[in-house]
Amino acid sequence: MIGNRPSIRYRMPCRSGSDMLCRIAVVAWLLGLAACTQVGPDYRPPDVTISETWQIPETGGLSSSADDQAIWWQVFADPVLSQLIEQAYKRNYSLEFAGLRVLEARAQLGIAVGLAYPQSQRLVGGATRIGASEANANTGGGDLNYVQYSVAGDVAWELDFWGRFSRGIESADASFLASIADYDDALVLLTSQVADTYAAVRTLEERLRLARENLVLQQRSYDIADVKFRNGEDSELDVQQALTLLLSTEASVPALQAQLVQARNVLATLLALPTSEIAGWLGSESRIPSLPESIAVGVPADLLRRRPDVRQAELQAIAQSHLIGIAEADLYPSFALLG
């Protein structure tokens, strides 16, 4: 019995050359028959209608022309951003974990392919040294010592009669490709998070710089309003308004500083770096990344084809579809060759 299925085993002894040729012909016939038999459904992609145009007309520098820009962050022409994304690609743990899942899926594919070959092999060998006695050796009869070698083995091979192993290979292959799509999805998310966090850091740095400049100007405005009020040239209302604006700006500075620290910590986490080192990667020059005048986004159909999470979902559906064939093949008896 193999699993819960009835097993039909055929042992192939070899006595003569004609018997050997006959058995080879039988094996070839069985293998050919097994290769043509495959139970279970074949995957068929669903019929989905995808629009070839956007519902909203092209505005604001967006273009529906095709653009296969793998390193899309280079459109910002920011060398610091490019260095950060390269560092994240090398050090991010989530991306490394996704890469390890690819290696795991590839190993599972190798196991599935190996099941199509003989599943049990055993080889036993030995050597025996045989020699004459000392008495026989003194009679001058020559050297009667010799070594006898022996090798024996057997092989058990379950034929893929119902396509169980071939379905397993197809399922493992789809799972392997799905793991690659999952890696691509993790890479897209990582690069987008790094770029988004980097833009947030630069924006907060610029807001903090403007807030400090406004503090200087508003302090001067308050001092002027206070002097005028003391000299009777202005009302107390102007002084209170200037003071309110000054205190409001002062209160916004600590909040901006806290947000900037949080954004830098997020960026350090994405790059798997200590928080103390992220300032050195950002450098002293602060500049918000600027978008180009025109951005090619393609059409909805092309956008869906490029999305790795969509490819992963389809490949997972393919893998599950082939598992149905494996489950159905388990309902039938198995055929195995022993020799």
Side-chain angles (χ1 to χ4, degrees):
M1 297 288 290
I2 298 180
N4 295 324
R5 300 175 297 150
S7 176
I8 301 175
R9 297 176 179 268
Y10 176 70
R11 185 173 295 275
M12 300 177 57
C14 296
R15 295 189 180 91
S16 64
S18 60
D19 290 343
M20 184 64 179
L21 293 178
C22 180
R23 284 163 177 76
I24 291 176
V26 171
V27 172
W29 176 77
L30 289 174
L31 292 178
L33 184 61
C36 299
T37 306
Q38 197 175 47
V39 298
D42 293 326
Y43 174 79
R44 294 182 180 179
D47 296 330
V48 180
T49 302
I50 303 176
S51 176
E52 297 294 335
T53 58
W54 296 99
Q55 295 181 358
I56 302 177
E58 300 177 12
T59 56
L62 297 179
S63 173
S64 60
S65 60
D67 184 21
D68 189 12
Q69 181 72 20
I71 45 179
W72 53 267
W73 55 88
Q74 290 188 356
V75 300
F76 297 107
D78 193 321
V80 177
L81 176 59
S82 299
Q83 292 178 1
L84 292 176
I85 291 181
E86 182 180 359
Q87 180 71 8
Y89 176 76
K90 295 178 180 178
R91 299 177 59 93
N92 185 263
Y93 295 132
S94 298
L95 186 63
E96 182 178 356
F97 183 66
L100 293 175
R101 284 199 297 265
V102 174
L103 298 179
E104 178 186 8
R106 187 176 66 178
Q108 293 294 335
L109 176 59
I111 294 174
V113 173
L115 291 176
Y117 297 93
Q119 291 87 22
S120 176
Q121 304 107 19
R122 185 179 63 175
L123 185 64
V124 179
T128 304
R129 182 179 180 86
I130 301 176
S133 63
E134 291 294 335
N136 293 333
N138 295 329
T139 61
D143 187 8
L144 300 179
N145 296 323
Y146 66 94
V147 179
Q148 180 179 357
Y149 298 95
S150 62
V151 177
D154 57 46
V155 175
W157 189 0
E158 180 184 347
L159 299 179
D160 193 15
F161 201 82
W162 309 109
R164 187 166 70 98
F165 297 144
S166 59
R167 289 295 189 187
I169 294 174
E170 293 172 348
S171 177
D173 184 60
S175 298
F176 172 59
L177 296 177
S179 67
I180 296 177
D182 178 64
Y183 178 84
D184 294 338
D185 187 34
L187 181 60
V188 169
L189 291 176
L190 175 63
T191 54
S192 62
Q193 288 177 346
V194 171
D196 184 65
T197 307
Y198 175 76
V201 169
R202 292 310 192 195
T203 301
L204 288 170
E205 289 176 347
E206 183 66 16
R207 290 179 60 187
L208 188 59
R209 184 186 67 81
L210 294 176
R212 288 169 176 169
E213 290 182 356
N214 289 335
L215 276 178
V216 177
L217 297 177
Q218 291 168 8
Q219 182 66 47
R220 293 179 58 186
S221 298
Y222 170 74
D223 294 339
I224 293 174
D226 184 62
V227 170
K228 287 185 176 181
F229 171 70
R230 295 180 182 277
N231 294 330
E233 299 178 2
D234 210 343
S235 64
E236 186 179 1
L237 179 61
D238 294 334
V239 177
Q240 295 299 327
Q241 288 179 344
L243 180 60
T244 301
L245 184 60
L246 175 62
L247 295 177
S248 177
T249 305
E250 287 181 348
S252 67
V253 170
L256 291 174
Q257 290 176 336
Q259 294 176 14
L260 179 59
V261 171
Q262 291 177 355
R264 288 183 173 181
N265 291 342
V266 171
L267 192 58
T269 302
L270 292 173
L271 272 62
L273 290 173
T275 55
S276 58
E277 296 183 8
I278 194 63
W281 284 88
L282 292 172
S284 58
E285 182 180 358
S286 177
R287 181 175 65 88
I288 300 177
S290 58
L291 291 173
E293 296 181 359
S294 178
I295 300 177
V297 295
V299 296
D302 295 335
L303 183 62
L304 287 176
R305 294 188 188 100
R306 291 201 305 265
R307 288 188 55 168
D309 56 338
V310 176
R311 297 200 308 270
Q312 179 188 7
E314 183 179 17
L315 290 168
Q316 287 176 343
I318 295 174
Q320 294 298 318
S321 175
H322 293 311
L323 289 180
I324 298 175
I326 298 176
E328 187 174 344
D330 288 337
L331 300 176
Y332 300 97
S334 64
F335 298 86
L337 298 178
L338 303 177

